[in-house]
Amino acid sequence: MKKKLLSVVLALAAVLSCATIAWAGAQGDTLITLSYLNGTYLAGLKTTVAHAVERACQPIYDAALAKAGQASGSGTGSGGVWLTSDAPVAGAGVYGHQITLATGSGLVWMDGMAAVSGGVLVDATVGAEVPVGGGLAAGHRYLAGETAQVVVSSQSAQWMIEGQWANGVADTVIVPLTFADVPSTQWYYNDVRYVVEKGLFQGLSQDTFGPNGAMQRCMMTTVLHRLAGKPEVGYAAVFTDIPDGQWYTQGTIWAAGAGVVSGMGDGSFAPGLDVTRQQIAVMLYNYAVKAGKPVGAAGSLTAFWDHASVAAWAQDAMGWAVGAGILNGSDGALLPNDSATRAQVAAMLHRFQNWMDQQTG
């Protein structure tokens, strides 16, 4: 598989290189017009190359599909499907953050420094395999010939991931969002689509999502309850301000019973308060612990100028969230006491679920 993907990329680079030479040599030839080269010839060449690459890469995708199916317990892999987003998924992280790429997925490196720490990664821009320990170049596109790992080696970095494996049926279709306030050009488009498709969030109306609206504490417990599969719980007066029969009651009671939340310390929960970034980190951290996931690896908070603002009760959770790439800073700040918008929470949940899926513990 490794040799196959590498040969495909190198062949593609060779074809494009030859095309460039042919174009350069033909500019002075009056028998071949420049409009023909830029139009019919180039279009035909692109189509031919695209078909050749698609045929050559298909075995790689098929093999990865089988592996995905085996991992999910289906054995043959027939229950899986390769899904690519109509817009790449943006990612960002700090020093030490690890990116895991499934076989066949693509990575466009945007900014910062990183090195391959394992697996097979091919630089499609130059047509060469990146050795373990080799660095990534900004603006280059990479393909994972086998499951590959990349570790950020600079203070911060940004990237775009082009596809991912998902279990589904052969006719799975990604339906575009219909929210007028979530255009496909926004950084949070795929995050919003993820939480909506998973049933974690609902729109404010049929055509409005409210991405910049604040997220309240009771909304957060409701979303995490949905993420857990909405387990049934009986009412208990766990908090003085959570009565029975409210839309957020069951989610909040469940979150308290599961150890995901512990309230404000005075017997109340304050459901209507905006949830802060460090409170979200603590809730996700507790959720991961209860799910039996390893949360030992932590990122450094000292890289952020406001790290001293992180509460003592949120230190471990914030360190984990930064190290796992779930919580990213803003202009070098963590902003732990700031409220989070619906779009920001959607992004955190998307990253959180991706992190959960990658854990074996």
Side-chain angles (χ1 to χ4, degrees), residues 227-269:
L227 183 63
K230 299 179 68 174
E232 290 287 338
V233 292
Y235 178 73
V238 179
F239 300 114
T240 57
D241 53 356
I242 302 295
D244 194 9
Q246 300 299 312
W247 60 266
Y248 53 80
T249 298
Q250 190 168 75
T252 305
I253 298 302
W254 166 83
V260 174
V261 298
S262 57
M264 306 299 291
D266 60 356
S268 69
F269 182 72

Coordinates of all heavy atoms in Angstrom, one line a residue, residues 227-269:
L227 N -25.1 13.6 23.7 CA -23.8 12.9 23.3 C -23.7 11.6 23.9 O -23.2 10.6 23.2 CB -22.6 13.8 23.6 CG -21.3 13.3 23.2 CD1 -21.2 13.2 21.7 CD2 -20.1 14.2 23.8
A228 N -24.2 11.4 25.1 CA -24.1 10.1 25.8 C -25.2 9.2 25.4 O -25.3 8.0 25.9 CB -24.2 10.4 27.3
G229 N -26.1 9.6 24.5 CA -27.2 8.7 24.0 C -28.5 8.9 24.7 O -29.4 8.1 24.6
K230 N -28.6 10.0 25.5 CA -29.8 10.4 26.2 C -30.3 9.3 27.1 O -31.5 8.8 27.1 CB -31.0 10.8 25.2 CG -30.6 12.0 24.4 CD -31.7 12.4 23.4 CE -33.0 12.9 24.2 NZ -34.0 13.3 23.2
P231 N -29.5 8.8 28.0 CA -29.9 7.8 29.0 C -31.0 8.3 29.9 O -31.0 9.5 30.3 CB -28.6 7.5 29.8 CG -27.8 8.7 29.6 CD -28.1 9.2 28.3
E232 N -32.0 7.4 30.2 CA -33.1 7.8 31.0 C -32.6 8.0 32.5 O -31.9 7.2 33.0 CB -34.2 6.8 31.0 CG -34.9 6.7 29.6 CD -35.8 7.9 29.4 OE1 -36.2 8.5 30.4 OE2 -36.1 8.2 28.2
V233 N -33.1 9.0 33.1 CA -32.8 9.2 34.5 C -34.1 9.7 35.2 O -34.9 10.5 34.6 CB -31.7 10.3 34.8 CG1 -30.4 9.7 34.3 CG2 -32.0 11.6 34.1
G234 N -34.3 9.3 36.4 CA -35.4 9.8 37.2 C -35.1 11.1 37.9 O -33.9 11.4 38.1
Y235 N -36.1 11.9 38.2 CA -35.8 13.2 38.8 C -35.3 13.0 40.2 O -35.8 12.2 41.0 CB -37.1 14.1 38.8 CG -36.9 15.4 39.5 CD1 -36.1 16.4 38.8 CD2 -37.4 15.6 40.7 CE1 -35.9 17.6 39.5 CE2 -37.1 16.8 41.4 CZ -36.4 17.8 40.7 OH -36.1 19.0 41.4
A236 N -34.4 13.9 40.5 CA -33.9 14.0 41.9 C -33.5 15.4 42.1 O -33.0 16.1 41.2 CB -32.6 13.1 42.1
A237 N -33.8 15.9 43.3 CA -33.5 17.3 43.7 C -32.0 17.5 43.9 O -31.6 17.8 45.1 CB -34.4 17.7 44.9
V238 N -31.2 17.3 42.9 CA -29.8 17.4 43.1 C -29.4 18.9 43.3 O -28.5 19.1 44.1 CB -29.1 16.8 41.8 CG1 -27.6 17.0 41.9 CG2 -29.5 15.4 41.6
F239 N -30.0 19.8 42.6 CA -29.7 21.2 42.7 C -31.0 21.9 43.1 O -32.1 21.6 42.7 CB -29.2 21.8 41.4 CG -27.9 21.1 40.9 CD1 -27.9 20.3 39.7 CD2 -26.7 21.2 41.6 CE1 -26.7 19.7 39.3 CE2 -25.6 20.6 41.2 CZ -25.6 19.9 40.0
T240 N -30.8 23.0 43.9 CA -32.0 23.7 44.4 C -32.7 24.5 43.3 O -33.9 24.9 43.4 CB -31.5 24.7 45.4 OG1 -30.5 25.6 44.9 CG2 -30.9 24.0 46.6
D241 N -32.0 24.8 42.2 CA -32.6 25.6 41.1 C -32.9 24.8 39.8 O -33.0 25.3 38.7 CB -31.7 26.8 40.8 CG -30.3 26.4 40.5 OD1 -29.9 25.2 40.6 OD2 -29.5 27.3 40.1
I242 N -32.9 23.4 39.9 CA -33.3 22.6 38.8 C -34.6 21.9 39.2 O -34.6 20.8 39.8 CB -32.2 21.6 38.5 CG1 -30.9 22.3 38.2 CG2 -32.6 20.7 37.3 CD1 -30.9 23.2 36.9
P243 N -35.7 22.5 38.8 CA -37.0 21.8 39.1 C -37.3 20.7 38.1 O -36.7 20.6 37.1 CB -38.0 23.0 39.0 CG -37.4 23.9 37.9 CD -35.9 23.8 38.2
D244 N -38.3 19.9 38.4 CA -38.7 18.9 37.5 C -39.5 19.5 36.4 O -40.2 20.5 36.5 CB -39.6 17.8 38.3 CG -39.8 16.5 37.5 OD1 -39.1 16.4 36.5 OD2 -40.6 15.7 37.9
G245 N -39.5 18.8 35.2 CA -40.3 19.2 34.1 C -39.8 20.2 33.2 O -40.5 20.6 32.2
Q246 N -38.6 20.7 33.3 CA -38.0 21.7 32.4 C -37.3 21.0 31.3 O -36.9 19.8 31.4 CB -37.0 22.6 33.1 CG -37.7 23.4 34.3 CD -38.8 24.3 33.8 OE1 -38.6 25.1 32.8 NE2 -39.9 24.3 34.4
W247 N -37.1 21.7 30.1 CA -36.5 21.0 29.0 C -35.0 20.6 29.3 O -34.5 19.7 28.7 CB -36.5 21.9 27.8 CG -35.8 23.2 28.0 CD1 -36.3 24.4 28.3 CD2 -34.4 23.5 27.7 NE1 -35.4 25.4 28.4 CE2 -34.2 24.9 28.0 CE3 -33.3 22.7 27.3 CZ2 -32.9 25.5 27.9 CZ3 -32.1 23.3 27.2 CH2 -31.9 24.7 27.5
Y248 N -34.4 21.2 30.3 CA -33.0 20.9 30.6 C -32.9 20.1 31.9 O -31.8 19.7 32.3 CB -32.2 22.2 30.8 CG -32.9 23.2 31.8 CD1 -32.7 23.0 33.2 CD2 -33.6 24.3 31.4 CE1 -33.3 23.8 34.1 CE2 -34.2 25.1 32.3 CZ -34.1 24.9 33.7 OH -34.6 25.8 34.6
T249 N -34.0 19.7 32.5 CA -34.0 19.0 33.7 C -33.2 17.6 33.6 O -32.3 17.3 34.4 CB -35.4 18.7 34.3 OG1 -36.0 20.0 34.5 CG2 -35.3 17.9 35.6
Q250 N -33.7 16.8 32.7 CA -33.1 15.5 32.6 C -31.6 15.5 32.3 O -30.8 14.8 32.9 CB -33.8 14.6 31.6 CG -33.5 13.1 31.6 CD -34.4 12.3 30.8 OE1 -34.3 12.2 29.6 NE2 -35.3 11.5 31.5
G251 N -31.2 16.4 31.3 CA -29.8 16.5 31.0 C -28.9 16.9 32.2 O -27.8 16.4 32.4
T252 N -29.4 17.8 32.9 CA -28.7 18.4 34.1 C -28.6 17.3 35.2 O -27.5 17.1 35.8 CB -29.3 19.7 34.6 OG1 -29.3 20.6 33.5 CG2 -28.4 20.3 35.7
I253 N -29.7 16.7 35.5 CA -29.7 15.6 36.5 C -28.8 14.5 36.1 O -28.0 13.9 36.9 CB -31.2 15.1 36.8 CG1 -32.1 16.2 37.3 CG2 -31.1 13.9 37.7 CD1 -31.6 16.9 38.5
W254 N -28.8 14.1 34.8 CA -27.9 13.1 34.4 C -26.5 13.5 34.5 O -25.6 12.7 35.0 CB -28.2 12.7 32.9 CG -27.1 11.9 32.3 CD1 -26.9 10.6 32.3 CD2 -25.9 12.5 31.6 NE1 -25.8 10.2 31.7 CE2 -25.1 11.3 31.3 CE3 -25.5 13.7 31.2 CZ2 -23.9 11.5 30.6 CZ3 -24.3 13.9 30.5 CH2 -23.5 12.8 30.2
A255 N -26.1 14.7 34.1 CA -24.8 15.2 34.2 C -24.3 15.2 35.6 O -23.1 14.9 35.9 CB -24.7 16.6 33.6
A256 N -25.1 15.6 36.6 CA -24.7 15.6 38.0 C -24.5 14.1 38.5 O -23.5 13.8 39.1 CB -25.8 16.2 38.8
G257 N -25.4 13.2 38.1 CA -25.3 11.8 38.6 C -24.1 11.1 38.0 O -23.5 10.3 38.6
A258 N -23.7 11.5 36.7 CA -22.6 10.9 36.1 C -21.2 11.5 36.5 O -20.2 11.1 36.1 CB -22.7 11.1 34.6
G259 N -21.3 12.6 37.3 CA -20.1 13.2 37.7 C -19.5 14.2 36.7 O -18.3 14.6 36.8
V260 N -20.3 14.6 35.7 CA -19.8 15.5 34.7 C -19.8 17.0 35.2 O -19.0 17.8 34.9 CB -20.7 15.4 33.4 CG1 -20.3 16.4 32.4 CG2 -20.5 14.0 32.8
V261 N -20.8 17.3 36.1 CA -20.9 18.6 36.7 C -21.1 18.5 38.2 O -21.6 17.4 38.6 CB -22.1 19.4 36.1 CG1 -21.9 19.7 34.6 CG2 -23.4 18.8 36.3
S262 N -20.8 19.5 38.9 CA -20.9 19.5 40.4 C -21.6 20.7 40.9 O -21.7 20.9 42.1 CB -19.6 19.3 41.0 OG -18.7 20.3 40.6
G263 N -22.1 21.6 40.0 CA -22.8 22.8 40.5 C -21.9 23.9 40.9 O -20.6 23.9 40.7
M264 N -22.4 24.9 41.6 CA -21.7 26.2 41.9 C -21.1 26.1 43.3 O -20.5 27.1 43.7 CB -22.7 27.3 41.8 CG -23.4 27.4 40.4 SD -22.2 27.7 39.1 CE -21.6 29.3 39.4
G265 N -21.3 25.0 44.0 CA -20.8 24.9 45.4 C -21.7 25.3 46.5 O -21.3 25.2 47.7
D266 N -22.8 25.9 46.2 CA -23.8 26.3 47.2 C -25.1 25.6 47.1 O -26.1 26.0 47.6 CB -24.0 27.8 47.1 CG -24.6 28.3 45.8 OD1 -24.7 27.4 44.9 OD2 -24.9 29.5 45.6
G267 N -25.1 24.5 46.4 CA -26.3 23.7 46.2 C -27.1 24.1 44.9 O -28.1 23.4 44.6
S268 N -26.6 25.1 44.2 CA -27.3 25.5 43.0 C -26.5 25.1 41.8 O -25.3 24.8 41.9 CB -27.5 27.0 43.0 OG -26.3 27.7 42.9
F269 N -27.1 25.2 40.6 CA -26.4 24.9 39.4 C -26.3 26.2 38.5 O -25.4 26.2 37.6 CB -27.2 23.8 38.6 CG -26.5 23.5 37.3 CD1 -25.3 22.7 37.3 CD2 -27.0 23.8 36.1 CE1 -24.7 22.4 36.1 CE2 -26.4 23.5 34.9 CZ -25.2 22.8 34.9

